[in-house]
Amino acid sequence: MAVSTVWIVLHRLDQESSENVVNGPVAVEFPCSATTADVQEAFRSQLKTQDKKLVLKLRNHRKSLIPINCRIAHNTKFQPYTLEVVKRFQHVKPLVRSVHTNGYEEMVKQRLQNLLRRIEALEEIVPEMKQNREKKMQKEMGGIDDNLKFIGQRIQEAENHKWQGMFTKHPLW
């Protein structure tokens, strides 16, 4: 199993002492097939700390952040990476997370008032609804009664007719 060696200079920004930089580069070794957690564990063992709340930032010689995983490019003792160790939210104070909505409460109150007005209007109409339904039923029943009378008259007219044969007049063919 191959082992990768990376040279780092340690910057401990999590400690308040003046000794933030360790003198000289330090070698960190980890297997080439290691997972990201294993590589981070190798860096933590070099720090002699197991605190998982510390944030590790690995920077190259151009001060760019590089990911901490098994594919870290090899470097030399004369051009080491910088490993910055900081506390979580050390430089930034986090705000309480909350959804900020402008006028949300007013909108909910307005919708509630609209619903209450509609319910009150329906409650006022309820006694009239029974009367309106009875009027409509009477009107429809009157229309059906007229249709039945008309159909009855037509049936009686049809009963009075007698069959007189097929033709009353001889065709001219």
Side-chain angles (χ1 to χ4, degrees):
M1 180 169 19
V3 176
S4 292
T5 303
V6 176
W7 292 88
I8 61 167
V9 172
L10 192 61
H11 284 267
R12 294 292 302 251
L13 301 174
D14 61 327
Q15 297 174 345
E16 295 179 7
S17 67
S18 61
E19 298 177 12
N20 287 340
V21 179
V22 174
N23 294 337
V26 179
V28 177
E29 294 181 348
F30 53 87
C32 289
S33 62
T35 62
T36 302
D38 294 337
V39 175
Q40 286 182 356
E41 202 56 44
F43 281 114
R44 289 182 197 283
S45 67
Q46 184 66 36
L47 295 171
K48 297 182 178 89
T49 181
Q50 296 301 319
D51 190 7
K52 301 270 184 184
K53 292 183 179 180
L54 293 177
V55 178
L56 304 177
K57 297 180 183 180
L58 190 62
R59 296 185 183 272
N60 60 11
H61 64 281
R62 293 180 302 223
K63 306 295 184 203
S64 300
L65 282 174
I66 56 175
I68 299 176
N69 57 26
C70 63
R71 295 186 195 102
I72 297 174
H74 296 286
N75 61 349
T76 63
K77 184 177 183 179
F78 304 105
Q79 198 172 25
Y81 292 131
T82 304
L83 182 67
E84 295 176 356
V85 181
V86 295
K87 292 178 186 175
R88 195 176 288 177
F89 304 120
Q90 181 173 341
H91 304 294
V92 178
K93 194 158 199 155
L95 298 175
V96 177
R97 297 219 177 221
S98 64
V99 178
H100 183 67
T101 55
N102 295 333
Y104 179 73
E105 293 176 13
E106 294 173 14
M107 182 181 65
V108 170
K109 286 179 184 177
Q110 185 179 14
R111 285 187 178 176
L112 182 62
Q113 288 175 353
N114 286 341
L115 287 173
L116 289 174
R117 270 191 249 123
R118 289 172 66 187
I119 290 172
E120 288 173 359
L122 284 173
E123 287 175 346
E124 290 175 5
I125 294 175
V126 167
E128 296 174 8
M129 286 177 70
K130 200 171 197 178
Q131 295 170 354
N132 290 344
R133 188 176 345 124
E134 288 177 8
K135 287 179 186 177
K136 188 174 180 180
M137 290 290 281
Q138 291 294 330
K139 186 177 177 182
E140 288 178 2
M141 292 300 284
I144 291 173
D145 198 27
D146 291 340
N147 287 343
L148 285 175
K149 285 180 186 176
F150 177 75
I151 290 173
Q153 286 176 354
R154 292 292 180 192
I155 289 175
Q156 283 202 356
E157 288 176 8
E159 286 179 356
N160 291 339
H161 288 289
K162 294 186 180 174
W163 181 253
Q164 297 177 359
M166 188 169 176
F167 300 111
T168 54
K169 237 185 191 180
H170 294 289
L172 301 171
W173 58 75

